[in-house]
């Protein structure tokens, strides 16, 4: 068997919950759209584990008004964020946000969540390419 390369990612809405972990993940995905007082949590976070900031949903598509661009951009002032995870629909709808993220020292993860079934691969790739062109 080939050596596998991977990183363990923990997902949370509460950054205080990772203090008591016996085994620490390589990264923590902090779901800011589902967190209680996310900016306060980021202010108090010790930075012991690098963060993925996500604004995602288990819904197939998220309405444009559901994202807070200011909140997404505000997290960068804490210098704890290595990745930003956004649903492909949000990237297509918020071109200015994508441009801001592209100009920062973070990696963008483009997610494609459709809980009722996986669309064909060509459809997924086409949507991701369209978002990259916008």
């Amino acid at each position: 068997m080939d050596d596998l390369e991977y990183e363990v990612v923990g997902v949370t809405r509460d950054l205080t919950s990772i203090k008591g972990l016996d085994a620490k993940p390589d990264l923590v995905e902090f779901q800011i759209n589902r967190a209680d007082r996310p900016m306060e949590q980021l202010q108090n976070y010790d930075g012991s584990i690098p963060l993925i900031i996500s604004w995602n949903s288990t819904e197939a598509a998220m309405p444009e008004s559901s994202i807070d661009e200011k909140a997404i951009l505000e997290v960068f002032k804490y210098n704890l964020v290595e990745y930003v995870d956004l649903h492909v629909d949000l990237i297509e709808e918020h071109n200015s946000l994508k441009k801001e993220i592209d100009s920062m020292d973070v990696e963008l993860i483009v997610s494609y969540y459709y809980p009722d079934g996986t669309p064909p691969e060509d459809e997924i790739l086409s949507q991701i390419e369209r978002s990259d062109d916008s």
Side-chain angles (χ1 to χ4, degrees), residues 44-72:
N44 296 316
Y45 181 59
D46 66 5
S48 59
I49 302 173
L51 295 177
I52 300 170
I53 296 299
S54 66
W55 192 291
N56 287 311
S57 171
T58 55
E59 300 301 319
M62 297 169 55
E64 187 172 332
S65 62
S66 67
I67 189 169
D68 182 347
E69 288 188 42
K70 183 179 174 190
I72 294 286

Side-chain angles (χ1 to χ4, degrees), residues 57-124:
S57 171
T58 55
E59 300 301 319
M62 297 169 55
E64 187 172 332
S65 62
S66 67
I67 189 169
D68 182 347
E69 288 188 42
K70 183 179 174 190
I72 294 286
L73 296 173
E74 187 177 337
V75 302
F76 295 111
K77 73 180 183 184
Y78 298 103
N79 296 321
L80 303 167
V81 179
E82 291 194 13
Y83 301 91
V84 176
D85 180 355
L86 298 174
H87 192 278
V88 68
D89 289 342
L90 293 174
I91 293 169
E92 283 185 318
E93 295 168 1
H94 297 271
N95 188 36
S96 62
L97 177 60
K98 181 185 179 297
K99 287 179 180 177
E100 287 281 342
I101 291 170
D102 286 346
S103 72
M104 298 183 181
D105 189 26
V106 297
E107 296 292 324
L108 176 64
I109 298 170
V110 178
S111 299
Y112 201 97
Y113 294 100
Y114 284 83
D116 295 332
T118 303
E121 182 179 3
D122 60 335
E123 182 180 326
I124 296 170

